[in-house]
Structure formats: structure tokens, C-alpha cells
Amino acid sequence: MSETKQYNYCLDFIKGIACICVVFMHCEFPGLLGTVVQAVSRFCVPLFFMVSGYFCYFISANPEKINSNMARKIKHVGKITLYACVAYVLFDFVQYFVFGKSVFYFSKGALLNLLLFNQPFVVAGQYWFLFALLYDYVLFALVLRVHKIKSIYVVATIMIFVYILLAQGMHLAGIKIPNMYYRNFFVEGLCFFTMGNWIHAYKSKLKFTRGGVMAIAIVCTVLCLLERFLMGRDFGVNIVTFPQVFCLFLYAVNNPNKHAGVLQIIGKRYSMFVYIIHPIVWHTMEHVYELCGVASNVVALYVLPLIVVFITLLISHIIYYAKNSTHIPVHG
């Protein structure tokens, strides 16, 4: 029998913050504000990988039960990924026929990048997370089947250094490489998915003071800005993102009853919906801005991310309640 799960308000609270920050990373504020928000928000996607890895930990000695749980999770994420891609492709066809613009294309190279590196250039690039998450679930299902969980912990630790080498290391060496080489299921995804799983496995031994882990998380958040300033570009995940998100997650695990409220509800109910829907809302609003002649208006551009968040949450709220009778989980 699997471990009894205690509901964690704090984890959903952080997920609520993270899903909103994801929107701000893609639909950026102009100028310095956009750079600052993007730099400090790089914990978002790692956090979502960690949440999935955390709830992918099983203490059951029954292999059939574990395999059944993993199959259920793979099927669930597979459906989400399929629905997201279909929705975005349909949206892109509407873009093409109404506005004469399209980002959809297909080639053998794009298909290969999707299969190997989880880069869905044929749809919305932001959906790479969904494909990577699906691959990580499949990988973990295989690992659990052959009882090699400790081996994957070692591999994931190595991938942390691989990520830093391929991202910041190559940049410092003056070598340009596509970020899909490190922003994929086997490098970034495996790092954080496994980190979440490891925290679940050893959480009884990870007893740090609340003030201590939050102090480290805050310092790392400030260092994200310094790192961005010194390195001069966005790498997807900063070096200090690793301790930043680790400490945020520890804080949530050790304080499950804190931070109930609006953001916690958003994280629990809408976080995955927000991730899926926001590219459609964002690009729709870009068309609206062009039609209204405010696409270059500075004030309008500062307001745009806020509008996208509001509309995305509203649509997510409607979808959640429309689907509530089916009891489909939002994430994990």
C-alpha cells in the first residue's frame, strides 16, 4: 500500500505563484522589469518537475500496484499533452485564416527535435515541458520496474553538472549551442523530477529550520539577478536556481499547513490549465493589440502580462468547474 498523502497547502501556494510567473516569463513586461521578473522566476518549471517527481515516490512493495500507478500517471500526462497540442494547432489555424499569421510548420528536423529533445516547434515551444514530463514519467516507470532508483539519483546529479556545462559553460567559452540540448527531459527534466522524488524519499531526515531554508531561497533569488547581470543572457535555469528551488520545496514539505488562500487555490486547481492556456491567450491579445493600434504603446505593453494572467485564470476557472464532475486532477 502506498504512503498516505497529507494535503500540502504550502506546496499549492508556491505552485500558484509559479504558474503566474510562467505567464510573465513568456509574456514579458517591457525593459528592466521584464528582465528582473524573468530572472527571479526561473524556479517555476523546475518546481513543476519536482512536484511530479515528489508524487512519483512509492513505498509499496507490490510491483503491480506501482506499475499501475505509473501507468495511470503516464496516461494522464499523455492526455494533457495531446489535448494541449490539438488546442494550440486549432488556434494556429484560426490565426492563419483570420490574421494571416501562423507559427505552425512541419519538417523532419522539427519532428526529430520533438522526439529527441522534447522541443515541439511544430506547435507551441512552451509545451516542451509537457513532452519532457511525459518522457520522465516513462523513464521513471522503467527505473522502478528494474529497481534502480538509486542509480537514477546518481545520473540526475551528474545531469546538474551537465546542465551547467552546456548552458553557462559553453556560453563562457564562446560556443553557441541550442538550448534544447540541455532544456529537455534527460537533462533539466531529470534533474528536478528526481530531486523531487529524492526529497520525498528522505524528507524525514531533511529537517531544517523554516527561517534557514527561506533565507537561502531569498539569497538565491537575489543572486539570480546578479547571475543574469554577469552572464548577460537567459539560460532557462540559473546556476543558483538549483539551491533556490530546492529550499523552496523543502519549505513547502516541512510547512504543509501554511499559506491557505487564493494563491493556494490557484495552484491546486488551475496551475496546469494556466500553463496550457496562456500561450493561446497571449497570442490572441497580441492580435487584439495590433488591431487596436497599441502594439507599441509602452503603457499597454506593461499592462499586457496582467491582462493575459487575468483572462487565463478566468478561462481556467471556467474549465475547472466545467470538468469538476469528472474529478480530473490538475497536476501531479
Side-chain angles (χ1 to χ4, degrees), residues 105-137:
Y105 69 94
F106 180 83
S107 69
K108 291 181 179 179
L111 180 60
L112 185 63
N113 288 336
L114 172 61
L115 295 176
L116 294 180
F117 301 109
N118 321 119
Q119 299 299 316
F121 296 125
V122 293
V123 282
Q126 296 87 354
Y127 291 165
W128 78 271
F129 163 75
L130 297 175
F131 286 93
L133 184 61
L134 180 61
Y135 276 42
D136 280 323
Y137 271 124

PDB file of all heavy atoms in Angstrom, residues 105-137:
ATOM      1  N   TYR A 105       4.468  24.695 -38.425  1.00  0.00           N
ATOM      2  CA  TYR A 105       5.165  24.147 -39.585  1.00  0.00           C
ATOM      3  C   TYR A 105       5.586  22.728 -39.258  1.00  0.00           C
ATOM      4  O   TYR A 105       5.585  22.312 -38.112  1.00  0.00           O
ATOM      5  CB  TYR A 105       6.384  24.992 -39.963  1.00  0.00           C
ATOM      6  CG  TYR A 105       7.514  24.933 -38.970  1.00  0.00           C
ATOM      7  CD1 TYR A 105       8.559  24.024 -39.123  1.00  0.00           C
ATOM      8  CD2 TYR A 105       7.545  25.781 -37.869  1.00  0.00           C
ATOM      9  CE1 TYR A 105       9.601  23.966 -38.204  1.00  0.00           C
ATOM     10  CE2 TYR A 105       8.577  25.726 -36.950  1.00  0.00           C
ATOM     11  CZ  TYR A 105       9.602  24.822 -37.134  1.00  0.00           C
ATOM     12  OH  TYR A 105      10.629  24.764 -36.225  1.00  0.00           O
ATOM     13  N   PHE A 106       5.932  22.005 -40.271  1.00  0.00           N
ATOM     14  CA  PHE A 106       6.336  20.620 -40.063  1.00  0.00           C
ATOM     15  C   PHE A 106       7.533  20.305 -40.943  1.00  0.00           C
ATOM     16  O   PHE A 106       7.589  20.677 -42.106  1.00  0.00           O
ATOM     17  CB  PHE A 106       5.192  19.662 -40.392  1.00  0.00           C
ATOM     18  CG  PHE A 106       5.563  18.219 -40.185  1.00  0.00           C
ATOM     19  CD1 PHE A 106       5.490  17.649 -38.926  1.00  0.00           C
ATOM     20  CD2 PHE A 106       6.002  17.445 -41.248  1.00  0.00           C
ATOM     21  CE1 PHE A 106       5.843  16.325 -38.721  1.00  0.00           C
ATOM     22  CE2 PHE A 106       6.350  16.111 -41.058  1.00  0.00           C
ATOM     23  CZ  PHE A 106       6.271  15.557 -39.795  1.00  0.00           C
ATOM     24  N   SER A 107       8.511  19.621 -40.372  1.00  0.00           N
ATOM     25  CA  SER A 107       9.676  19.160 -41.117  1.00  0.00           C
ATOM     26  C   SER A 107      10.247  17.951 -40.403  1.00  0.00           C
ATOM     27  O   SER A 107       9.957  17.710 -39.231  1.00  0.00           O
ATOM     28  CB  SER A 107      10.732  20.265 -41.227  1.00  0.00           C
ATOM     29  OG  SER A 107      11.309  20.518 -39.956  1.00  0.00           O
ATOM     30  N   LYS A 108      11.090  17.207 -41.097  1.00  0.00           N
ATOM     31  CA  LYS A 108      11.715  16.042 -40.476  1.00  0.00           C
ATOM     32  C   LYS A 108      12.611  16.466 -39.317  1.00  0.00           C
ATOM     33  O   LYS A 108      12.674  15.806 -38.288  1.00  0.00           O
ATOM     34  CB  LYS A 108      12.535  15.272 -41.512  1.00  0.00           C
ATOM     35  CG  LYS A 108      11.681  14.571 -42.566  1.00  0.00           C
ATOM     36  CD  LYS A 108      12.555  13.795 -43.550  1.00  0.00           C
ATOM     37  CE  LYS A 108      11.695  13.079 -44.591  1.00  0.00           C
ATOM     38  NZ  LYS A 108      12.520  12.344 -45.569  1.00  0.00           N
ATOM     39  N   GLY A 109      13.293  17.609 -39.483  1.00  0.00           N
ATOM     40  CA  GLY A 109      14.169  18.102 -38.423  1.00  0.00           C
ATOM     41  C   GLY A 109      13.383  18.488 -37.182  1.00  0.00           C
ATOM     42  O   GLY A 109      13.794  18.190 -36.055  1.00  0.00           O
ATOM     43  N   ALA A 110      12.225  19.145 -37.395  1.00  0.00           N
ATOM     44  CA  ALA A 110      11.393  19.549 -36.260  1.00  0.00           C
ATOM     45  C   ALA A 110      10.844  18.326 -35.534  1.00  0.00           C
ATOM     46  O   ALA A 110      10.788  18.294 -34.301  1.00  0.00           O
ATOM     47  CB  ALA A 110      10.245  20.430 -36.741  1.00  0.00           C
ATOM     48  N   LEU A 111      10.466  17.303 -36.303  1.00  0.00           N
ATOM     49  CA  LEU A 111       9.957  16.072 -35.694  1.00  0.00           C
ATOM     50  C   LEU A 111      11.060  15.376 -34.895  1.00  0.00           C
ATOM     51  O   LEU A 111      10.815  14.873 -33.790  1.00  0.00           O
ATOM     52  CB  LEU A 111       9.418  15.131 -36.774  1.00  0.00           C
ATOM     53  CG  LEU A 111       8.855  13.794 -36.280  1.00  0.00           C
ATOM     54  CD1 LEU A 111       7.696  14.030 -35.318  1.00  0.00           C
ATOM     55  CD2 LEU A 111       8.406  12.934 -37.461  1.00  0.00           C
ATOM     56  N   LEU A 112      12.273  15.369 -35.432  1.00  0.00           N
ATOM     57  CA  LEU A 112      13.395  14.746 -34.730  1.00  0.00           C
ATOM     58  C   LEU A 112      13.695  15.481 -33.432  1.00  0.00           C
ATOM     59  O   LEU A 112      13.948  14.849 -32.388  1.00  0.00           O
ATOM     60  CB  LEU A 112      14.637  14.739 -35.630  1.00  0.00           C
ATOM     61  CG  LEU A 112      15.866  14.001 -35.084  1.00  0.00           C
ATOM     62  CD1 LEU A 112      15.562  12.517 -34.914  1.00  0.00           C
ATOM     63  CD2 LEU A 112      17.067  14.191 -36.020  1.00  0.00           C
ATOM     64  N   ASN A 113      13.662  16.809 -33.478  1.00  0.00           N
ATOM     65  CA  ASN A 113      13.892  17.597 -32.262  1.00  0.00           C
ATOM     66  C   ASN A 113      12.816  17.336 -31.217  1.00  0.00           C
ATOM     67  O   ASN A 113      13.090  17.323 -30.012  1.00  0.00           O
ATOM     68  CB  ASN A 113      13.927  19.087 -32.598  1.00  0.00           C
ATOM     69  CG  ASN A 113      15.184  19.480 -33.341  1.00  0.00           C
ATOM     70  OD1 ASN A 113      16.205  18.807 -33.247  1.00  0.00           O
ATOM     71  ND2 ASN A 113      15.115  20.561 -34.094  1.00  0.00           N
ATOM     72  N   LEU A 114      11.582  17.124 -31.683  1.00  0.00           N
ATOM     73  CA  LEU A 114      10.498  16.808 -30.762  1.00  0.00           C
ATOM     74  C   LEU A 114      10.727  15.454 -30.094  1.00  0.00           C
ATOM     75  O   LEU A 114      10.597  15.323 -28.876  1.00  0.00           O
ATOM     76  CB  LEU A 114       9.164  16.804 -31.503  1.00  0.00           C
ATOM     77  CG  LEU A 114       7.945  16.305 -30.725  1.00  0.00           C
ATOM     78  CD1 LEU A 114       7.693  17.169 -29.497  1.00  0.00           C
ATOM     79  CD2 LEU A 114       6.714  16.281 -31.621  1.00  0.00           C
ATOM     80  N   LEU A 115      11.112  14.457 -30.868  1.00  0.00           N
ATOM     81  CA  LEU A 115      11.289  13.107 -30.347  1.00  0.00           C
ATOM     82  C   LEU A 115      12.508  12.997 -29.435  1.00  0.00           C
ATOM     83  O   LEU A 115      12.468  12.324 -28.399  1.00  0.00           O
ATOM     84  CB  LEU A 115      11.411  12.105 -31.504  1.00  0.00           C
ATOM     85  CG  LEU A 115      10.165  11.951 -32.378  1.00  0.00           C
ATOM     86  CD1 LEU A 115      10.450  11.012 -33.551  1.00  0.00           C
ATOM     87  CD2 LEU A 115       8.994  11.442 -31.558  1.00  0.00           C
ATOM     88  N   LEU A 116      13.597  13.678 -29.807  1.00  0.00           N
ATOM     89  CA  LEU A 116      14.834  13.547 -29.044  1.00  0.00           C
ATOM     90  C   LEU A 116      14.958  14.556 -27.913  1.00  0.00           C
ATOM     91  O   LEU A 116      15.455  14.223 -26.825  1.00  0.00           O
ATOM     92  CB  LEU A 116      16.048  13.693 -29.977  1.00  0.00           C
ATOM     93  CG  LEU A 116      16.239  12.608 -31.031  1.00  0.00           C
ATOM     94  CD1 LEU A 116      17.475  12.911 -31.866  1.00  0.00           C
ATOM     95  CD2 LEU A 116      16.359  11.230 -30.392  1.00  0.00           C
ATOM     96  N   PHE A 117      14.523  15.782 -28.162  1.00  0.00           N
ATOM     97  CA  PHE A 117      14.773  16.871 -27.217  1.00  0.00           C
ATOM     98  C   PHE A 117      13.494  17.517 -26.668  1.00  0.00           C
ATOM     99  O   PHE A 117      13.574  18.549 -26.002  1.00  0.00           O
ATOM    100  CB  PHE A 117      15.640  17.947 -27.864  1.00  0.00           C
ATOM    101  CG  PHE A 117      16.961  17.450 -28.342  1.00  0.00           C
ATOM    102  CD1 PHE A 117      17.229  17.326 -29.701  1.00  0.00           C
ATOM    103  CD2 PHE A 117      17.955  17.084 -27.440  1.00  0.00           C
ATOM    104  CE1 PHE A 117      18.464  16.869 -30.148  1.00  0.00           C
ATOM    105  CE2 PHE A 117      19.181  16.612 -27.876  1.00  0.00           C
ATOM    106  CZ  PHE A 117      19.435  16.505 -29.237  1.00  0.00           C
ATOM    107  N   ASN A 118      12.338  16.929 -26.975  1.00  0.00           N
ATOM    108  CA  ASN A 118      11.070  17.440 -26.447  1.00  0.00           C
ATOM    109  C   ASN A 118      10.811  18.882 -26.844  1.00  0.00           C
ATOM    110  O   ASN A 118      10.185  19.618 -26.087  1.00  0.00           O
ATOM    111  CB  ASN A 118      11.024  17.330 -24.914  1.00  0.00           C
ATOM    112  CG  ASN A 118      11.653  16.057 -24.392  1.00  0.00           C
ATOM    113  OD1 ASN A 118      12.620  16.102 -23.651  1.00  0.00           O
ATOM    114  ND2 ASN A 118      11.120  14.922 -24.795  1.00  0.00           N
ATOM    115  N   GLN A 119      11.256  19.281 -28.018  1.00  0.00           N
ATOM    116  CA  GLN A 119      11.052  20.651 -28.479  1.00  0.00           C
ATOM    117  C   GLN A 119       9.942  20.677 -29.516  1.00  0.00           C
ATOM    118  O   GLN A 119      10.154  20.376 -30.680  1.00  0.00           O
ATOM    119  CB  GLN A 119      12.348  21.218 -29.071  1.00  0.00           C
ATOM    120  CG  GLN A 119      13.492  21.283 -28.083  1.00  0.00           C
ATOM    121  CD  GLN A 119      13.185  22.170 -26.892  1.00  0.00           C
ATOM    122  OE1 GLN A 119      12.655  23.258 -27.037  1.00  0.00           O
ATOM    123  NE2 GLN A 119      13.531  21.700 -25.709  1.00  0.00           N
ATOM    124  N   PRO A 120       8.710  21.026 -29.117  1.00  0.00           N
ATOM    125  CA  PRO A 120       7.574  20.989 -30.039  1.00  0.00           C
ATOM    126  C   PRO A 120       7.479  22.237 -30.896  1.00  0.00           C
ATOM    127  O   PRO A 120       6.531  23.021 -30.794  1.00  0.00           O
ATOM    128  CB  PRO A 120       6.376  20.862 -29.090  1.00  0.00           C
ATOM    129  CG  PRO A 120       6.806  21.604 -27.869  1.00  0.00           C
ATOM    130  CD  PRO A 120       8.300  21.384 -27.753  1.00  0.00           C
ATOM    131  N   PHE A 121       8.484  22.462 -31.743  1.00  0.00           N
ATOM    132  CA  PHE A 121       8.464  23.644 -32.585  1.00  0.00           C
ATOM    133  C   PHE A 121       7.292  23.618 -33.554  1.00  0.00           C
ATOM    134  O   PHE A 121       6.892  24.641 -34.091  1.00  0.00           O
ATOM    135  CB  PHE A 121       9.777  23.748 -33.372  1.00  0.00           C
ATOM    136  CG  PHE A 121      10.985  23.939 -32.500  1.00  0.00           C
ATOM    137  CD1 PHE A 121      12.068  23.083 -32.580  1.00  0.00           C
ATOM    138  CD2 PHE A 121      11.027  24.971 -31.583  1.00  0.00           C
ATOM    139  CE1 PHE A 121      13.183  23.262 -31.770  1.00  0.00           C
ATOM    140  CE2 PHE A 121      12.142  25.160 -30.763  1.00  0.00           C
ATOM    141  CZ  PHE A 121      13.217  24.298 -30.866  1.00  0.00           C
ATOM    142  N   VAL A 122       6.751  22.419 -33.795  1.00  0.00           N
ATOM    143  CA  VAL A 122       5.612  22.325 -34.702  1.00  0.00           C
ATOM    144  C   VAL A 122       4.340  22.853 -34.049  1.00  0.00           C
ATOM    145  O   VAL A 122       3.339  23.069 -34.716  1.00  0.00           O
ATOM    146  CB  VAL A 122       5.384  20.863 -35.161  1.00  0.00           C
ATOM    147  CG1 VAL A 122       6.532  20.396 -36.027  1.00  0.00           C
ATOM    148  CG2 VAL A 122       5.222  19.943 -33.961  1.00  0.00           C
ATOM    149  N   VAL A 123       4.371  23.042 -32.728  1.00  0.00           N
ATOM    150  CA  VAL A 123       3.248  23.681 -32.039  1.00  0.00           C
ATOM    151  C   VAL A 123       3.803  24.821 -31.192  1.00  0.00           C
ATOM    152  O   VAL A 123       4.562  25.644 -31.687  1.00  0.00           O
ATOM    153  CB  VAL A 123       2.435  22.672 -31.199  1.00  0.00           C
ATOM    154  CG1 VAL A 123       1.510  21.860 -32.096  1.00  0.00           C
ATOM    155  CG2 VAL A 123       3.321  21.742 -30.405  1.00  0.00           C
ATOM    156  N   ALA A 124       3.425  24.899 -29.936  1.00  0.00           N
ATOM    157  CA  ALA A 124       3.920  25.971 -29.063  1.00  0.00           C
ATOM    158  C   ALA A 124       5.192  25.503 -28.364  1.00  0.00           C
ATOM    159  O   ALA A 124       5.193  24.467 -27.695  1.00  0.00           O
ATOM    160  CB  ALA A 124       2.863  26.339 -28.029  1.00  0.00           C
ATOM    161  N   GLY A 125       6.259  26.266 -28.512  1.00  0.00           N
ATOM    162  CA  GLY A 125       7.521  25.894 -27.887  1.00  0.00           C
ATOM    163  C   GLY A 125       7.424  25.755 -26.383  1.00  0.00           C
ATOM    164  O   GLY A 125       8.177  24.987 -25.773  1.00  0.00           O
ATOM    165  N   GLN A 126       6.488  26.498 -25.766  1.00  0.00           N
ATOM    166  CA  GLN A 126       6.339  26.436 -24.311  1.00  0.00           C
ATOM    167  C   GLN A 126       5.898  25.049 -23.834  1.00  0.00           C
ATOM    168  O   GLN A 126       6.056  24.705 -22.664  1.00  0.00           O
ATOM    169  CB  GLN A 126       5.306  27.469 -23.830  1.00  0.00           C
ATOM    170  CG  GLN A 126       5.687  28.907 -24.084  1.00  0.00           C
ATOM    171  CD  GLN A 126       5.264  29.393 -25.460  1.00  0.00           C
ATOM    172  OE1 GLN A 126       4.768  28.620 -26.286  1.00  0.00           O
ATOM    173  NE2 GLN A 126       5.470  30.674 -25.731  1.00  0.00           N
ATOM    174  N   TYR A 127       5.363  24.248 -24.747  1.00  0.00           N
ATOM    175  CA  TYR A 127       4.858  22.930 -24.359  1.00  0.00           C
ATOM    176  C   TYR A 127       5.956  21.883 -24.248  1.00  0.00           C
ATOM    177  O   TYR A 127       5.653  20.707 -24.004  1.00  0.00           O
ATOM    178  CB  TYR A 127       3.795  22.461 -25.357  1.00  0.00           C
ATOM    179  CG  TYR A 127       2.505  23.239 -25.318  1.00  0.00           C
ATOM    180  CD1 TYR A 127       1.583  23.143 -26.350  1.00  0.00           C
ATOM    181  CD2 TYR A 127       2.194  24.093 -24.260  1.00  0.00           C
ATOM    182  CE1 TYR A 127       0.387  23.853 -26.333  1.00  0.00           C
ATOM    183  CE2 TYR A 127       1.012  24.816 -24.231  1.00  0.00           C
ATOM    184  CZ  TYR A 127       0.120  24.699 -25.267  1.00  0.00           C
ATOM    185  OH  TYR A 127      -1.057  25.418 -25.237  1.00  0.00           O
ATOM    186  N   TRP A 128       7.218  22.290 -24.404  1.00  0.00           N
ATOM    187  CA  TRP A 128       8.300  21.315 -24.258  1.00  0.00           C
ATOM    188  C   TRP A 128       8.240  20.663 -22.885  1.00  0.00           C
ATOM    189  O   TRP A 128       8.577  19.477 -22.735  1.00  0.00           O
ATOM    190  CB  TRP A 128       9.668  21.983 -24.452  1.00  0.00           C
ATOM    191  CG  TRP A 128      10.163  22.763 -23.260  1.00  0.00           C
ATOM    192  CD1 TRP A 128       9.933  24.072 -22.984  1.00  0.00           C
ATOM    193  CD2 TRP A 128      10.942  22.258 -22.174  1.00  0.00           C
ATOM    194  NE1 TRP A 128      10.516  24.425 -21.800  1.00  0.00           N
ATOM    195  CE2 TRP A 128      11.159  23.335 -21.273  1.00  0.00           C
ATOM    196  CE3 TRP A 128      11.486  21.015 -21.861  1.00  0.00           C
ATOM    197  CZ2 TRP A 128      11.888  23.192 -20.096  1.00  0.00           C
ATOM    198  CZ3 TRP A 128      12.215  20.872 -20.687  1.00  0.00           C
ATOM    199  CH2 TRP A 128      12.411  21.950 -19.820  1.00  0.00           C
ATOM    200  N   PHE A 129       7.788  21.427 -21.877  1.00  0.00           N
ATOM    201  CA  PHE A 129       7.682  20.897 -20.520  1.00  0.00           C
ATOM    202  C   PHE A 129       6.757  19.680 -20.469  1.00  0.00           C
ATOM    203  O   PHE A 129       7.047  18.691 -19.785  1.00  0.00           O
ATOM    204  CB  PHE A 129       7.171  21.993 -19.582  1.00  0.00           C
ATOM    205  CG  PHE A 129       6.640  21.478 -18.273  1.00  0.00           C
ATOM    206  CD1 PHE A 129       7.500  21.039 -17.281  1.00  0.00           C
ATOM    207  CD2 PHE A 129       5.272  21.405 -18.036  1.00  0.00           C
ATOM    208  CE1 PHE A 129       7.016  20.556 -16.075  1.00  0.00           C
ATOM    209  CE2 PHE A 129       4.777  20.928 -16.836  1.00  0.00           C
ATOM    210  CZ  PHE A 129       5.654  20.498 -15.850  1.00  0.00           C
ATOM    211  N   LEU A 130       5.633  19.748 -21.185  1.00  0.00           N
ATOM    212  CA  LEU A 130       4.680  18.646 -21.165  1.00  0.00           C
ATOM    213  C   LEU A 130       5.289  17.380 -21.755  1.00  0.00           C
ATOM    214  O   LEU A 130       5.132  16.281 -21.201  1.00  0.00           O
ATOM    215  CB  LEU A 130       3.417  19.032 -21.928  1.00  0.00           C
ATOM    216  CG  LEU A 130       2.607  20.199 -21.365  1.00  0.00           C
ATOM    217  CD1 LEU A 130       1.446  20.544 -22.296  1.00  0.00           C
ATOM    218  CD2 LEU A 130       2.085  19.867 -19.972  1.00  0.00           C
ATOM    219  N   PHE A 131       5.983  17.534 -22.882  1.00  0.00           N
ATOM    220  CA  PHE A 131       6.618  16.370 -23.502  1.00  0.00           C
ATOM    221  C   PHE A 131       7.735  15.824 -22.615  1.00  0.00           C
ATOM    222  O   PHE A 131       7.882  14.602 -22.457  1.00  0.00           O
ATOM    223  CB  PHE A 131       7.175  16.749 -24.878  1.00  0.00           C
ATOM    224  CG  PHE A 131       6.123  16.930 -25.926  1.00  0.00           C
ATOM    225  CD1 PHE A 131       5.584  18.180 -26.178  1.00  0.00           C
ATOM    226  CD2 PHE A 131       5.655  15.847 -26.656  1.00  0.00           C
ATOM    227  CE1 PHE A 131       4.605  18.346 -27.137  1.00  0.00           C
ATOM    228  CE2 PHE A 131       4.674  16.010 -27.625  1.00  0.00           C
ATOM    229  CZ  PHE A 131       4.148  17.257 -27.875  1.00  0.00           C
ATOM    230  N   ALA A 132       8.532  16.719 -22.038  1.00  0.00           N
ATOM    231  CA  ALA A 132       9.616  16.288 -21.159  1.00  0.00           C
ATOM    232  C   ALA A 132       9.070  15.580 -19.926  1.00  0.00           C
ATOM    233  O   ALA A 132       9.619  14.568 -19.472  1.00  0.00           O
ATOM    234  CB  ALA A 132      10.473  17.490 -20.751  1.00  0.00           C
ATOM    235  N   LEU A 133       7.972  16.102 -19.379  1.00  0.00           N
ATOM    236  CA  LEU A 133       7.359  15.480 -18.207  1.00  0.00           C
ATOM    237  C   LEU A 133       6.860  14.076 -18.546  1.00  0.00           C
ATOM    238  O   LEU A 133       7.048  13.132 -17.767  1.00  0.00           O
ATOM    239  CB  LEU A 133       6.196  16.340 -17.713  1.00  0.00           C
ATOM    240  CG  LEU A 133       5.487  15.881 -16.435  1.00  0.00           C
ATOM    241  CD1 LEU A 133       6.461  15.854 -15.257  1.00  0.00           C
ATOM    242  CD2 LEU A 133       4.306  16.799 -16.122  1.00  0.00           C
ATOM    243  N   LEU A 134       6.262  13.935 -19.715  1.00  0.00           N
ATOM    244  CA  LEU A 134       5.791  12.621 -20.155  1.00  0.00           C
ATOM    245  C   LEU A 134       6.955  11.641 -20.280  1.00  0.00           C
ATOM    246  O   LEU A 134       6.875  10.500 -19.810  1.00  0.00           O
ATOM    247  CB  LEU A 134       5.066  12.761 -21.499  1.00  0.00           C
ATOM    248  CG  LEU A 134       4.514  11.477 -22.115  1.00  0.00           C
ATOM    249  CD1 LEU A 134       3.478  10.843 -21.198  1.00  0.00           C
ATOM    250  CD2 LEU A 134       3.911  11.772 -23.493  1.00  0.00           C
ATOM    251  N   TYR A 135       8.052  12.083 -20.887  1.00  0.00           N
ATOM    252  CA  TYR A 135       9.240  11.237 -21.031  1.00  0.00           C
ATOM    253  C   TYR A 135       9.804  10.852 -19.669  1.00  0.00           C
ATOM    254  O   TYR A 135      10.237   9.715 -19.458  1.00  0.00           O
ATOM    255  CB  TYR A 135      10.314  11.979 -21.830  1.00  0.00           C
ATOM    256  CG  TYR A 135      10.175  11.884 -23.332  1.00  0.00           C
ATOM    257  CD1 TYR A 135       8.932  11.993 -23.950  1.00  0.00           C
ATOM    258  CD2 TYR A 135      11.286  11.715 -24.146  1.00  0.00           C
ATOM    259  CE1 TYR A 135       8.809  11.933 -25.326  1.00  0.00           C
ATOM    260  CE2 TYR A 135      11.175  11.641 -25.531  1.00  0.00           C
ATOM    261  CZ  TYR A 135       9.932  11.752 -26.109  1.00  0.00           C
ATOM    262  OH  TYR A 135       9.811  11.674 -27.471  1.00  0.00           O
ATOM    263  N   ASP A 136       9.811  11.797 -18.722  1.00  0.00           N
ATOM    264  CA  ASP A 136      10.358  11.498 -17.397  1.00  0.00           C
ATOM    265  C   ASP A 136       9.505  10.476 -16.659  1.00  0.00           C
ATOM    266  O   ASP A 136      10.023   9.624 -15.936  1.00  0.00           O
ATOM    267  CB  ASP A 136      10.491  12.782 -16.573  1.00  0.00           C
ATOM    268  CG  ASP A 136      11.728  13.583 -16.942  1.00  0.00           C
ATOM    269  OD1 ASP A 136      12.761  12.970 -17.232  1.00  0.00           O
ATOM    270  OD2 ASP A 136      11.657  14.821 -16.952  1.00  0.00           O
ATOM    271  N   TYR A 137       8.199  10.559 -16.831  1.00  0.00           N
ATOM    272  CA  TYR A 137       7.325   9.549 -16.222  1.00  0.00           C
ATOM    273  C   TYR A 137       7.628   8.165 -16.797  1.00  0.00           C
ATOM    274  O   TYR A 137       7.696   7.170 -16.058  1.00  0.00           O
ATOM    275  CB  TYR A 137       5.855   9.898 -16.456  1.00  0.00           C
ATOM    276  CG  TYR A 137       5.244  10.773 -15.388  1.00  0.00           C
ATOM    277  CD1 TYR A 137       4.652  11.989 -15.702  1.00  0.00           C
ATOM    278  CD2 TYR A 137       5.235  10.364 -14.056  1.00  0.00           C
ATOM    279  CE1 TYR A 137       4.077  12.783 -14.730  1.00  0.00           C
ATOM    280  CE2 TYR A 137       4.658  11.160 -13.068  1.00  0.00           C
ATOM    281  CZ  TYR A 137       4.083  12.369 -13.416  1.00  0.00           C
ATOM    282  OH  TYR A 137       3.516  13.149 -12.441  1.00  0.00           O
TER     283      TYR A 137
END
